[in-house]
Amino acid sequence: MKSKNLMVATMLMLSATAANAQQNIQKAFEALLNENRSEIKTQHSLEKDPETGIKEGEMDIYDFILPSPTSKQKQLIKDIEKAFEKDKEEAYSLNSGNYGNHASLAVGKGRSASVGLGNIKGSRYIYACFLDKNDPEKTKRYAYAMEWAEKEKKITVRLAKTYATMPQYRGGRNASRKIIINGQEIDFSDALNGAFGYNGSEAWLSQFNNLRTLFQKKSEGPAANSWATSIYKLCKNADSLDVAEKEMVSKEIQKLKTKTEDEFIQNLFDMSIEHLKK
């Protein structure tokens, strides 16, 4: 009975945001968590705005071992990999890596808590980020991750889900500039620009290229609107670019404009180009 109660509680925690969750990954996670396992460790957190009660951050982590895994359990691991592939069209970011190639998934506003990946010896991992479609400001995202390693006739697994503010919106107007390099989130703040050998325009262009790539992958819907808005904000602060760089960026934005039929996004791109002319 105790085991049954644990299983039900686990499913309830994972299903608490079913309206936002990606269904294939959700179901695949639940199927694996319902299997017999040992040495399970869980971590959970929930952050809400004290005045509005609106959720700002959430974290669910499940670390466990499948001793002498059956063929069914091995298949469930493969099913989760397939689920990420099935849900990738809804994701704005899909990444994978292995042990030593560390990645970190933020929780909330990303000020302290995070979920680490790439720390289990001999492991592989995969994670995907999805825009919260119920967030009216389109600044929040869900992230799902699995890390696993098969060794000595057992499989060590980490399943995780986090809810957080998207990097470009953390900290308001002075949010740090971040991109992913080799699975690691890099902050291109003024202090780090010198350390990595980036000047102002190079950091600006790196962020623009990251947003451009994301928009090319998904040019319609809420995620596309988010990327277009971020590009617009970036173009409002393009003082570090020289004339040639501004012309190059304008041409790239014109190309992005042809990829969408959304008039609002097209107008954002037109205004972005106008700011680059100043």
Side-chain angles (χ1 to χ4, degrees):
M1 180 61 71
K2 183 177 180 181
S3 175
K4 181 69 173 179
N5 289 338
L6 175 61
M7 178 188 73
V8 172
T10 297
M11 292 179 66
L12 286 174
M13 283 184 284
L14 276 174
S15 302
T17 54
N20 296 304
Q22 306 310 306
Q23 294 304 307
N24 290 299
I25 297 174
Q26 179 86 8
K27 292 176 182 178
F29 272 23
E30 289 173 0
L32 181 58
L33 286 169
N34 284 333
E35 283 296 299
N36 292 326
R37 56 197 183 274
S38 65
E39 299 181 33
I40 184 167
K41 297 179 182 179
T42 64
Q43 299 180 57
H44 305 284
S45 70
L46 178 63
E47 304 170 13
K48 292 185 177 181
D49 184 297
E51 295 183 358
T52 65
I54 296 175
K55 181 170 66 176
E56 293 186 338
E58 186 176 21
M59 177 182 73
D60 295 308
I61 306 176
Y62 302 87
D63 291 305
F64 56 93
I65 292 175
L66 298 172
S68 302
T70 64
S71 57
K72 176 186 175 182
Q73 290 172 331
K74 291 181 179 180
Q75 183 59 49
L76 289 174
I77 297 289
K78 294 180 180 179
D79 288 344
I80 292 178
E81 291 186 83
K82 293 178 181 178
F84 275 97
E85 182 67 21
K86 290 178 181 178
D87 284 337
K88 73 177 183 179
E89 291 303 317
E90 293 297 321
Y92 68 79
S93 179
L94 178 65
N95 302 272
S96 62
N98 48 38
Y99 172 67
N101 183 18
H102 302 290
S104 180
L105 300 179
V107 179
K109 295 182 179 179
R111 293 171 179 168
S112 55
S114 64
V115 176
L117 300 172
N119 298 311
I120 302 174
K121 192 171 183 179
S123 70
R124 295 171 54 202
Y125 65 79
I126 185 171
Y127 69 89
C129 299
F130 304 86
L131 188 69
D132 178 6
K133 296 180 179 179
N134 292 331
D135 173 27
E137 296 182 349
K138 308 302 179 188
T139 62
K140 305 293 196 309
R141 64 98 180 110
Y142 285 93
Y144 293 81
M146 176 177 72
E147 181 174 3
W148 73 104
E150 186 170 2
K151 186 179 180 181
E152 297 176 354
K153 297 182 179 180
K154 65 180 181 181
I155 301 178
T156 303
V157 183
R158 161 166 282 196
L159 298 181
K161 179 191 73 175
T162 74
Y163 184 75
T165 302
M166 295 165 70
Q168 64 267 37
Y169 298 111
R170 293 173 198 158
R173 293 186 63 180
N174 294 321
S176 58
R177 308 300 189 185
K178 298 182 180 182
I179 65 172
I180 302 295
I181 296 179
N182 295 328
Q184 182 67 41
E185 192 173 59
I186 304 297
D187 185 341
F188 282 97
S189 62
D190 289 339
L192 288 180
N193 283 337
F196 282 94
Y198 280 76
N199 61 36
S201 66
E202 288 173 340
W204 195 102
L205 291 169
S206 293
Q207 188 182 11
F208 172 77
N209 191 49
N210 187 45
L211 293 168
R212 181 183 68 89
T213 301
L214 290 167
F215 187 85
Q216 287 175 328
K217 291 180 179 179
K218 197 171 188 65
S219 58
E220 302 291 345
N225 182 73
S226 176
W227 305 136
T229 301
S230 296
I231 289 173
Y232 171 65
K233 290 181 178 179
L234 199 58
C235 291
K236 289 176 68 177
N237 297 280
D239 294 340
S240 62
L241 302 184
D242 60 29
V243 174
E245 289 169 334
K246 288 182 178 181
E247 289 180 355
M248 177 185 69
V249 172
S250 294
K251 289 179 181 178
E252 291 301 317
I253 294 176
Q254 285 285 8
K255 293 177 184 178
L256 295 179
K257 182 181 173 182
T258 64
K259 293 183 175 294
T260 181
E261 297 181 358
D262 189 307
E263 291 186 7
F264 178 75
I265 293 178
Q266 289 177 342
N267 288 334
L268 279 177
F269 285 152
D270 284 338
M271 291 189 293
S272 298
I273 293 173
E274 287 302 313
H275 278 292
L276 291 171
K277 293 179 180 178
K278 296 179 180 179

